[in-house]
Amino acid sequence: MYDNVYINVKLPKGTIVFREGDMCEHVAFIVSGVIRVAKIGENGKEVNLYRVCRGESCVLTISSVLSHSPFPATAIVEEDAEAMIVPKDTFATMMATNTQLQTFVYDMMMNRFMAMMQMIEHIVFEKMDKRLIEFLLDRCKKNKTNMIEMTHEHIAIELGTAREVVSRILKQLEREGYVQLARGKVKIVDKERLCDKFATM
């Protein structure tokens, strides 16, 4: 019944998949690469909502398709991506009849919802210096290096705060001997002490 409904597309880094207010004409399932979904304010500041990676789909796209509502954020290709897209009408029919797809979508929505709740808790209830230190330590662990190659603006977007706030905290950490700052880079020079600082905050 659903033969030949999928179309494979390649999406270069930097491609804007959806802008806020767009009507979604398809649902994409990511084969490779990463798509970043963010909220962009009128002043140009961004807050990352989540990333869509291999084997996933964008829950806001699905919600927009099923509710016939405009896309409420901006989706940008962060790493060259390949996606399998399904037209919106076909996807709606599949959602109504395919229990496995229903389970996949509901599980994905719940996971996104819980992640968003956690992000809100971090923003509202945790101090920004603690969140920033946690971010730096997580990046080091993920990339297996003490060098984080990101601008202060980029870090601020990841944490949902202002660049000035990130710069102020990083400069204080540098004065205290935890990090060393360079253009577009943050180097952790005393990871053990920084871990101890995080544990006592």
Side-chain angles (χ1 to χ4, degrees), residues 103 121 137:
T103 299
E121 287 179 2
L137 292 173

Short mmCIF file of all heavy atoms in Angstrom, two decimals, residues 103 121 137:
data_model
loop_
_atom_site.label_atom_id
_atom_site.label_comp_id
_atom_site.label_asym_id
_atom_site.label_seq_id
_atom_site.Cartn_x
_atom_site.Cartn_y
_atom_site.Cartn_z
N THR A 103 3.47 3.85 17.83
CA THR A 103 4.30 3.63 19.01
C THR A 103 5.62 4.38 18.89
O THR A 103 6.09 5.03 19.84
CB THR A 103 4.58 2.13 19.20
OG1 THR A 103 3.33 1.44 19.39
CG2 THR A 103 5.47 1.89 20.41
N GLU A 121 13.87 23.02 33.50
CA GLU A 121 14.30 22.94 34.90
C GLU A 121 15.70 23.52 35.06
O GLU A 121 15.98 24.25 36.02
CB GLU A 121 14.27 21.49 35.36
CG GLU A 121 12.87 20.93 35.59
CD GLU A 121 12.89 19.49 36.02
OE1 GLU A 121 14.00 18.92 36.17
OE2 GLU A 121 11.81 18.91 36.20
N LEU A 137 32.24 20.40 30.59
CA LEU A 137 32.71 19.06 30.96
C LEU A 137 32.07 17.99 30.07
O LEU A 137 32.73 17.03 29.66
CB LEU A 137 32.38 18.78 32.43
CG LEU A 137 33.17 19.61 33.45
CD1 LEU A 137 32.64 19.37 34.86
CD2 LEU A 137 34.65 19.27 33.38
#
